[in-house]
Amino acid sequence: MSKIPALSGKKIIQALKKADFSVIRIKGSHHFLAHPDGRKTVVPVHSNETIGKGLFAQILRNCDLTIDEFLDLL
């Protein structure tokens, strides 16, 4: 089984806020988040649709977080 959970964009943003990321702007359904140290990422929020594995992995790479670090934020 994969350790990557099926999460909505809203849940991902909630977890990233716990890691000191903040929403800097919103364009359409895309939320742009930034960390005070300069890391940035974009999370799409489409009602309750889940984020795919590939996009979720890219968000984690942008945020410089491991899956285990992210799961601790949930």
Side-chain angles (χ1 to χ4, degrees), residues 32-62:
F32 294 77
L33 289 91
H35 192 272
D37 67 6
R39 294 178 282 170
K40 295 180 182 174
T41 193
V42 178
V43 179
V45 178
H46 298 157
S47 62
N48 285 330
E49 288 185 28
T50 59
I51 301 294
K53 292 179 184 180
L55 180 56
F56 183 69
Q58 180 63 44
I59 291 169
L60 290 181
R61 279 193 299 273
N62 291 343

PDB file of all heavy atoms in Angstrom, residues 32-62:
ATOM      1  N   PHE A  32      -1.696  29.963  -3.711  1.00  0.00           N
ATOM      2  CA  PHE A  32      -0.244  30.088  -3.702  1.00  0.00           C
ATOM      3  C   PHE A  32       0.198  30.250  -2.252  1.00  0.00           C
ATOM      4  O   PHE A  32      -0.229  31.190  -1.579  1.00  0.00           O
ATOM      5  CB  PHE A  32       0.193  31.296  -4.537  1.00  0.00           C
ATOM      6  CG  PHE A  32      -0.116  31.146  -6.004  1.00  0.00           C
ATOM      7  CD1 PHE A  32      -1.407  31.322  -6.480  1.00  0.00           C
ATOM      8  CD2 PHE A  32       0.877  30.818  -6.903  1.00  0.00           C
ATOM      9  CE1 PHE A  32      -1.702  31.190  -7.820  1.00  0.00           C
ATOM     10  CE2 PHE A  32       0.597  30.678  -8.256  1.00  0.00           C
ATOM     11  CZ  PHE A  32      -0.693  30.858  -8.712  1.00  0.00           C
ATOM     12  N   LEU A  33       1.045  29.330  -1.785  1.00  0.00           N
ATOM     13  CA  LEU A  33       1.509  29.355  -0.408  1.00  0.00           C
ATOM     14  C   LEU A  33       3.003  29.633  -0.374  1.00  0.00           C
ATOM     15  O   LEU A  33       3.739  29.197  -1.263  1.00  0.00           O
ATOM     16  CB  LEU A  33       1.224  28.026   0.289  1.00  0.00           C
ATOM     17  CG  LEU A  33      -0.248  27.746   0.602  1.00  0.00           C
ATOM     18  CD1 LEU A  33      -0.896  27.007  -0.535  1.00  0.00           C
ATOM     19  CD2 LEU A  33      -0.373  26.959   1.859  1.00  0.00           C
ATOM     20  N   ALA A  34       3.438  30.324   0.680  1.00  0.00           N
ATOM     21  CA  ALA A  34       4.856  30.624   0.851  1.00  0.00           C
ATOM     22  C   ALA A  34       5.235  30.441   2.309  1.00  0.00           C
ATOM     23  O   ALA A  34       4.413  30.608   3.214  1.00  0.00           O
ATOM     24  CB  ALA A  34       5.161  32.047   0.404  1.00  0.00           C
ATOM     25  N   HIS A  35       6.488  30.111   2.514  1.00  0.00           N
ATOM     26  CA  HIS A  35       7.064  29.953   3.849  1.00  0.00           C
ATOM     27  C   HIS A  35       8.000  31.135   4.065  1.00  0.00           C
ATOM     28  O   HIS A  35       8.570  31.654   3.106  1.00  0.00           O
ATOM     29  CB  HIS A  35       7.828  28.626   3.915  1.00  0.00           C
ATOM     30  CG  HIS A  35       8.208  28.223   5.291  1.00  0.00           C
ATOM     31  ND1 HIS A  35       9.378  28.630   5.866  1.00  0.00           N
ATOM     32  CD2 HIS A  35       7.574  27.456   6.212  1.00  0.00           C
ATOM     33  CE1 HIS A  35       9.461  28.118   7.081  1.00  0.00           C
ATOM     34  NE2 HIS A  35       8.366  27.400   7.316  1.00  0.00           N
ATOM     35  N   PRO A  36       8.185  31.580   5.312  1.00  0.00           N
ATOM     36  CA  PRO A  36       9.088  32.720   5.554  1.00  0.00           C
ATOM     37  C   PRO A  36      10.513  32.508   5.050  1.00  0.00           C
ATOM     38  O   PRO A  36      11.208  33.477   4.738  1.00  0.00           O
ATOM     39  CB  PRO A  36       9.075  32.862   7.079  1.00  0.00           C
ATOM     40  CG  PRO A  36       7.776  32.285   7.508  1.00  0.00           C
ATOM     41  CD  PRO A  36       7.483  31.181   6.535  1.00  0.00           C
ATOM     42  N   ASP A  37      10.959  31.249   4.912  1.00  0.00           N
ATOM     43  CA  ASP A  37      12.322  31.007   4.432  1.00  0.00           C
ATOM     44  C   ASP A  37      12.433  30.962   2.908  1.00  0.00           C
ATOM     45  O   ASP A  37      13.501  30.734   2.368  1.00  0.00           O
ATOM     46  CB  ASP A  37      12.915  29.742   5.049  1.00  0.00           C
ATOM     47  CG  ASP A  37      12.217  28.464   4.582  1.00  0.00           C
ATOM     48  OD1 ASP A  37      11.350  28.521   3.692  1.00  0.00           O
ATOM     49  OD2 ASP A  37      12.540  27.395   5.145  1.00  0.00           O
ATOM     50  N   GLY A  38      11.313  31.174   2.195  1.00  0.00           N
ATOM     51  CA  GLY A  38      11.355  31.287   0.745  1.00  0.00           C
ATOM     52  C   GLY A  38      10.755  30.129  -0.030  1.00  0.00           C
ATOM     53  O   GLY A  38      10.596  30.221  -1.251  1.00  0.00           O
ATOM     54  N   ARG A  39      10.431  29.025   0.624  1.00  0.00           N
ATOM     55  CA  ARG A  39       9.809  27.901  -0.085  1.00  0.00           C
ATOM     56  C   ARG A  39       8.412  28.294  -0.528  1.00  0.00           C
ATOM     57  O   ARG A  39       7.694  28.981   0.190  1.00  0.00           O
ATOM     58  CB  ARG A  39       9.729  26.673   0.828  1.00  0.00           C
ATOM     59  CG  ARG A  39      11.083  26.117   1.201  1.00  0.00           C
ATOM     60  CD  ARG A  39      10.944  24.953   2.140  1.00  0.00           C
ATOM     61  NE  ARG A  39      10.668  25.479   3.477  1.00  0.00           N
ATOM     62  CZ  ARG A  39      10.297  24.732   4.508  1.00  0.00           C
ATOM     63  NH1 ARG A  39      10.132  23.441   4.363  1.00  0.00           N
ATOM     64  NH2 ARG A  39      10.075  25.275   5.684  1.00  0.00           N
ATOM     65  N   LYS A  40       8.029  27.878  -1.740  1.00  0.00           N
ATOM     66  CA  LYS A  40       6.707  28.219  -2.286  1.00  0.00           C
ATOM     67  C   LYS A  40       6.111  27.011  -2.984  1.00  0.00           C
ATOM     68  O   LYS A  40       6.830  26.164  -3.504  1.00  0.00           O
ATOM     69  CB  LYS A  40       6.826  29.365  -3.291  1.00  0.00           C
ATOM     70  CG  LYS A  40       7.284  30.660  -2.680  1.00  0.00           C
ATOM     71  CD  LYS A  40       7.384  31.750  -3.712  1.00  0.00           C
ATOM     72  CE  LYS A  40       7.895  33.016  -3.047  1.00  0.00           C
ATOM     73  NZ  LYS A  40       8.143  34.067  -3.998  1.00  0.00           N
ATOM     74  N   THR A  41       4.786  26.973  -3.009  1.00  0.00           N
ATOM     75  CA  THR A  41       4.076  25.931  -3.732  1.00  0.00           C
ATOM     76  C   THR A  41       2.688  26.426  -4.114  1.00  0.00           C
ATOM     77  O   THR A  41       2.234  27.468  -3.634  1.00  0.00           O
ATOM     78  CB  THR A  41       3.988  24.628  -2.908  1.00  0.00           C
ATOM     79  OG1 THR A  41       3.554  23.567  -3.757  1.00  0.00           O
ATOM     80  CG2 THR A  41       3.035  24.767  -1.733  1.00  0.00           C
ATOM     81  N   VAL A  42       2.028  25.670  -4.978  1.00  0.00           N
ATOM     82  CA  VAL A  42       0.666  25.981  -5.415  1.00  0.00           C
ATOM     83  C   VAL A  42      -0.197  24.753  -5.151  1.00  0.00           C
ATOM     84  O   VAL A  42       0.178  23.637  -5.495  1.00  0.00           O
ATOM     85  CB  VAL A  42       0.630  26.321  -6.922  1.00  0.00           C
ATOM     86  CG1 VAL A  42      -0.793  26.604  -7.373  1.00  0.00           C
ATOM     87  CG2 VAL A  42       1.536  27.484  -7.231  1.00  0.00           C
ATOM     88  N   VAL A  43      -1.363  24.976  -4.533  1.00  0.00           N
ATOM     89  CA  VAL A  43      -2.291  23.880  -4.237  1.00  0.00           C
ATOM     90  C   VAL A  43      -3.635  24.210  -4.875  1.00  0.00           C
ATOM     91  O   VAL A  43      -4.235  25.233  -4.551  1.00  0.00           O
ATOM     92  CB  VAL A  43      -2.464  23.689  -2.710  1.00  0.00           C
ATOM     93  CG1 VAL A  43      -3.442  22.559  -2.432  1.00  0.00           C
ATOM     94  CG2 VAL A  43      -1.126  23.422  -2.035  1.00  0.00           C
ATOM     95  N   PRO A  44      -4.122  23.350  -5.784  1.00  0.00           N
ATOM     96  CA  PRO A  44      -5.447  23.583  -6.353  1.00  0.00           C
ATOM     97  C   PRO A  44      -6.538  23.133  -5.382  1.00  0.00           C
ATOM     98  O   PRO A  44      -6.390  22.097  -4.724  1.00  0.00           O
ATOM     99  CB  PRO A  44      -5.446  22.718  -7.615  1.00  0.00           C
ATOM    100  CG  PRO A  44      -4.485  21.628  -7.321  1.00  0.00           C
ATOM    101  CD  PRO A  44      -3.447  22.212  -6.403  1.00  0.00           C
ATOM    102  N   VAL A  45      -7.596  23.916  -5.274  1.00  0.00           N
ATOM    103  CA  VAL A  45      -8.719  23.566  -4.401  1.00  0.00           C
ATOM    104  C   VAL A  45      -9.968  23.505  -5.275  1.00  0.00           C
ATOM    105  O   VAL A  45     -10.508  24.530  -5.666  1.00  0.00           O
ATOM    106  CB  VAL A  45      -8.893  24.606  -3.268  1.00  0.00           C
ATOM    107  CG1 VAL A  45     -10.094  24.239  -2.405  1.00  0.00           C
ATOM    108  CG2 VAL A  45      -7.635  24.692  -2.429  1.00  0.00           C
ATOM    109  N   HIS A  46     -10.390  22.278  -5.594  1.00  0.00           N
ATOM    110  CA  HIS A  46     -11.571  22.056  -6.414  1.00  0.00           C
ATOM    111  C   HIS A  46     -12.593  21.299  -5.590  1.00  0.00           C
ATOM    112  O   HIS A  46     -12.572  20.072  -5.556  1.00  0.00           O
ATOM    113  CB  HIS A  46     -11.229  21.251  -7.666  1.00  0.00           C
ATOM    114  CG  HIS A  46     -10.256  21.936  -8.562  1.00  0.00           C
ATOM    115  ND1 HIS A  46      -9.468  21.265  -9.460  1.00  0.00           N
ATOM    116  CD2 HIS A  46      -9.913  23.236  -8.702  1.00  0.00           C
ATOM    117  CE1 HIS A  46      -8.699  22.115 -10.121  1.00  0.00           C
ATOM    118  NE2 HIS A  46      -8.952  23.320  -9.669  1.00  0.00           N
ATOM    119  N   SER A  47     -13.446  22.006  -4.901  1.00  0.00           N
ATOM    120  CA  SER A  47     -14.463  21.460  -3.986  1.00  0.00           C
ATOM    121  C   SER A  47     -13.852  20.334  -3.146  1.00  0.00           C
ATOM    122  O   SER A  47     -12.902  20.559  -2.430  1.00  0.00           O
ATOM    123  CB  SER A  47     -15.721  21.030  -4.733  1.00  0.00           C
ATOM    124  OG  SER A  47     -15.453  20.008  -5.657  1.00  0.00           O
ATOM    125  N   ASN A  48     -14.365  19.130  -3.239  1.00  0.00           N
ATOM    126  CA  ASN A  48     -13.834  18.041  -2.419  1.00  0.00           C
ATOM    127  C   ASN A  48     -13.057  17.012  -3.230  1.00  0.00           C
ATOM    128  O   ASN A  48     -12.924  15.868  -2.813  1.00  0.00           O
ATOM    129  CB  ASN A  48     -14.962  17.360  -1.644  1.00  0.00           C
ATOM    130  CG  ASN A  48     -15.442  18.199  -0.484  1.00  0.00           C
ATOM    131  OD1 ASN A  48     -14.653  18.950   0.089  1.00  0.00           O
ATOM    132  ND2 ASN A  48     -16.705  18.085  -0.150  1.00  0.00           N
ATOM    133  N   GLU A  49     -12.541  17.405  -4.399  1.00  0.00           N
ATOM    134  CA  GLU A  49     -11.732  16.489  -5.190  1.00  0.00           C
ATOM    135  C   GLU A  49     -10.404  16.244  -4.498  1.00  0.00           C
ATOM    136  O   GLU A  49      -9.828  17.150  -3.900  1.00  0.00           O
ATOM    137  CB  GLU A  49     -11.471  17.070  -6.582  1.00  0.00           C
ATOM    138  CG  GLU A  49     -12.675  17.074  -7.478  1.00  0.00           C
ATOM    139  CD  GLU A  49     -12.332  17.541  -8.876  1.00  0.00           C
ATOM    140  OE1 GLU A  49     -11.173  17.363  -9.304  1.00  0.00           O
ATOM    141  OE2 GLU A  49     -13.211  18.095  -9.528  1.00  0.00           O
ATOM    142  N   THR A  50      -9.915  15.027  -4.608  1.00  0.00           N
ATOM    143  CA  THR A  50      -8.634  14.707  -3.988  1.00  0.00           C
ATOM    144  C   THR A  50      -7.489  15.066  -4.938  1.00  0.00           C
ATOM    145  O   THR A  50      -7.652  15.089  -6.157  1.00  0.00           O
ATOM    146  CB  THR A  50      -8.545  13.216  -3.620  1.00  0.00           C
ATOM    147  OG1 THR A  50      -8.719  12.441  -4.803  1.00  0.00           O
ATOM    148  CG2 THR A  50      -9.601  12.840  -2.606  1.00  0.00           C
ATOM    149  N   ILE A  51      -6.351  15.336  -4.343  1.00  0.00           N
ATOM    150  CA  ILE A  51      -5.144  15.655  -5.099  1.00  0.00           C
ATOM    151  C   ILE A  51      -4.494  14.338  -5.508  1.00  0.00           C
ATOM    152  O   ILE A  51      -4.341  13.430  -4.692  1.00  0.00           O
ATOM    153  CB  ILE A  51      -4.166  16.486  -4.232  1.00  0.00           C
ATOM    154  CG1 ILE A  51      -4.831  17.779  -3.760  1.00  0.00           C
ATOM    155  CG2 ILE A  51      -2.879  16.759  -4.974  1.00  0.00           C
ATOM    156  CD1 ILE A  51      -5.164  18.761  -4.846  1.00  0.00           C
ATOM    157  N   GLY A  52      -4.077  14.235  -6.764  1.00  0.00           N
ATOM    158  CA  GLY A  52      -3.446  13.023  -7.260  1.00  0.00           C
ATOM    159  C   GLY A  52      -2.069  12.795  -6.639  1.00  0.00           C
ATOM    160  O   GLY A  52      -1.454  13.699  -6.083  1.00  0.00           O
ATOM    161  N   LYS A  53      -1.584  11.565  -6.746  1.00  0.00           N
ATOM    162  CA  LYS A  53      -0.303  11.188  -6.149  1.00  0.00           C
ATOM    163  C   LYS A  53       0.854  12.011  -6.700  1.00  0.00           C
ATOM    164  O   LYS A  53       1.727  12.445  -5.954  1.00  0.00           O
ATOM    165  CB  LYS A  53      -0.021   9.714  -6.393  1.00  0.00           C
ATOM    166  CG  LYS A  53      -0.933   8.779  -5.663  1.00  0.00           C
ATOM    167  CD  LYS A  53      -0.586   7.339  -5.989  1.00  0.00           C
ATOM    168  CE  LYS A  53      -1.566   6.379  -5.347  1.00  0.00           C
ATOM    169  NZ  LYS A  53      -1.223   4.985  -5.656  1.00  0.00           N
ATOM    170  N   GLY A  54       0.878  12.209  -7.998  1.00  0.00           N
ATOM    171  CA  GLY A  54       1.969  12.948  -8.619  1.00  0.00           C
ATOM    172  C   GLY A  54       2.008  14.404  -8.190  1.00  0.00           C
ATOM    173  O   GLY A  54       3.072  14.936  -7.864  1.00  0.00           O
ATOM    174  N   LEU A  55       0.857  15.041  -8.172  1.00  0.00           N
ATOM    175  CA  LEU A  55       0.786  16.438  -7.752  1.00  0.00           C
ATOM    176  C   LEU A  55       1.106  16.577  -6.276  1.00  0.00           C
ATOM    177  O   LEU A  55       1.810  17.497  -5.863  1.00  0.00           O
ATOM    178  CB  LEU A  55      -0.589  17.026  -8.052  1.00  0.00           C
ATOM    179  CG  LEU A  55      -0.801  18.487  -7.665  1.00  0.00           C
ATOM    180  CD1 LEU A  55       0.242  19.375  -8.317  1.00  0.00           C
ATOM    181  CD2 LEU A  55      -2.184  18.935  -8.056  1.00  0.00           C
ATOM    182  N   PHE A  56       0.625  15.625  -5.462  1.00  0.00           N
ATOM    183  CA  PHE A  56       0.919  15.652  -4.032  1.00  0.00           C
ATOM    184  C   PHE A  56       2.428  15.522  -3.798  1.00  0.00           C
ATOM    185  O   PHE A  56       3.006  16.240  -2.985  1.00  0.00           O
ATOM    186  CB  PHE A  56       0.158  14.539  -3.319  1.00  0.00           C
ATOM    187  CG  PHE A  56       0.351  14.529  -1.833  1.00  0.00           C
ATOM    188  CD1 PHE A  56      -0.174  15.532  -1.049  1.00  0.00           C
ATOM    189  CD2 PHE A  56       1.071  13.519  -1.223  1.00  0.00           C
ATOM    190  CE1 PHE A  56       0.002  15.536   0.325  1.00  0.00           C
ATOM    191  CE2 PHE A  56       1.258  13.511   0.142  1.00  0.00           C
ATOM    192  CZ  PHE A  56       0.720  14.522   0.926  1.00  0.00           C
ATOM    193  N   ALA A  57       3.070  14.638  -4.538  1.00  0.00           N
ATOM    194  CA  ALA A  57       4.523  14.467  -4.419  1.00  0.00           C
ATOM    195  C   ALA A  57       5.254  15.745  -4.822  1.00  0.00           C
ATOM    196  O   ALA A  57       6.242  16.129  -4.191  1.00  0.00           O
ATOM    197  CB  ALA A  57       4.986  13.290  -5.279  1.00  0.00           C
ATOM    198  N   GLN A  58       4.766  16.421  -5.865  1.00  0.00           N
ATOM    199  CA  GLN A  58       5.386  17.685  -6.296  1.00  0.00           C
ATOM    200  C   GLN A  58       5.225  18.768  -5.228  1.00  0.00           C
ATOM    201  O   GLN A  58       6.151  19.530  -4.969  1.00  0.00           O
ATOM    202  CB  GLN A  58       4.773  18.154  -7.612  1.00  0.00           C
ATOM    203  CG  GLN A  58       5.348  19.445  -8.145  1.00  0.00           C
ATOM    204  CD  GLN A  58       6.830  19.322  -8.486  1.00  0.00           C
ATOM    205  OE1 GLN A  58       7.237  18.343  -9.089  1.00  0.00           O
ATOM    206  NE2 GLN A  58       7.616  20.290  -8.097  1.00  0.00           N
ATOM    207  N   ILE A  59       4.067  18.832  -4.593  1.00  0.00           N
ATOM    208  CA  ILE A  59       3.845  19.807  -3.525  1.00  0.00           C
ATOM    209  C   ILE A  59       4.822  19.551  -2.379  1.00  0.00           C
ATOM    210  O   ILE A  59       5.414  20.482  -1.838  1.00  0.00           O
ATOM    211  CB  ILE A  59       2.376  19.759  -3.045  1.00  0.00           C
ATOM    212  CG1 ILE A  59       1.442  20.303  -4.133  1.00  0.00           C
ATOM    213  CG2 ILE A  59       2.191  20.540  -1.749  1.00  0.00           C
ATOM    214  CD1 ILE A  59      -0.032  20.061  -3.894  1.00  0.00           C
ATOM    215  N   LEU A  60       5.015  18.281  -2.017  1.00  0.00           N
ATOM    216  CA  LEU A  60       5.954  17.948  -0.948  1.00  0.00           C
ATOM    217  C   LEU A  60       7.384  18.333  -1.328  1.00  0.00           C
ATOM    218  O   LEU A  60       8.148  18.832  -0.497  1.00  0.00           O
ATOM    219  CB  LEU A  60       5.882  16.459  -0.605  1.00  0.00           C
ATOM    220  CG  LEU A  60       4.609  15.982   0.085  1.00  0.00           C
ATOM    221  CD1 LEU A  60       4.694  14.488   0.374  1.00  0.00           C
ATOM    222  CD2 LEU A  60       4.352  16.755   1.364  1.00  0.00           C
ATOM    223  N   ARG A  61       7.760  18.102  -2.594  1.00  0.00           N
ATOM    224  CA  ARG A  61       9.110  18.498  -3.048  1.00  0.00           C
ATOM    225  C   ARG A  61       9.274  20.010  -2.983  1.00  0.00           C
ATOM    226  O   ARG A  61      10.308  20.513  -2.533  1.00  0.00           O
ATOM    227  CB  ARG A  61       9.366  18.011  -4.475  1.00  0.00           C
ATOM    228  CG  ARG A  61       9.778  16.561  -4.561  1.00  0.00           C
ATOM    229  CD  ARG A  61      10.334  16.206  -5.931  1.00  0.00           C
ATOM    230  NE  ARG A  61       9.381  16.384  -7.011  1.00  0.00           N
ATOM    231  CZ  ARG A  61       8.509  15.458  -7.399  1.00  0.00           C
ATOM    232  NH1 ARG A  61       8.450  14.292  -6.795  1.00  0.00           N
ATOM    233  NH2 ARG A  61       7.674  15.694  -8.386  1.00  0.00           N
ATOM    234  N   ASN A  62       8.264  20.750  -3.418  1.00  0.00           N
ATOM    235  CA  ASN A  62       8.329  22.213  -3.364  1.00  0.00           C
ATOM    236  C   ASN A  62       8.478  22.712  -1.934  1.00  0.00           C
ATOM    237  O   ASN A  62       9.166  23.696  -1.674  1.00  0.00           O
ATOM    238  CB  ASN A  62       7.077  22.838  -3.978  1.00  0.00           C
ATOM    239  CG  ASN A  62       6.991  22.653  -5.468  1.00  0.00           C
ATOM    240  OD1 ASN A  62       7.973  22.339  -6.121  1.00  0.00           O
ATOM    241  ND2 ASN A  62       5.804  22.835  -6.005  1.00  0.00           N
TER     242      ASN A  62
END
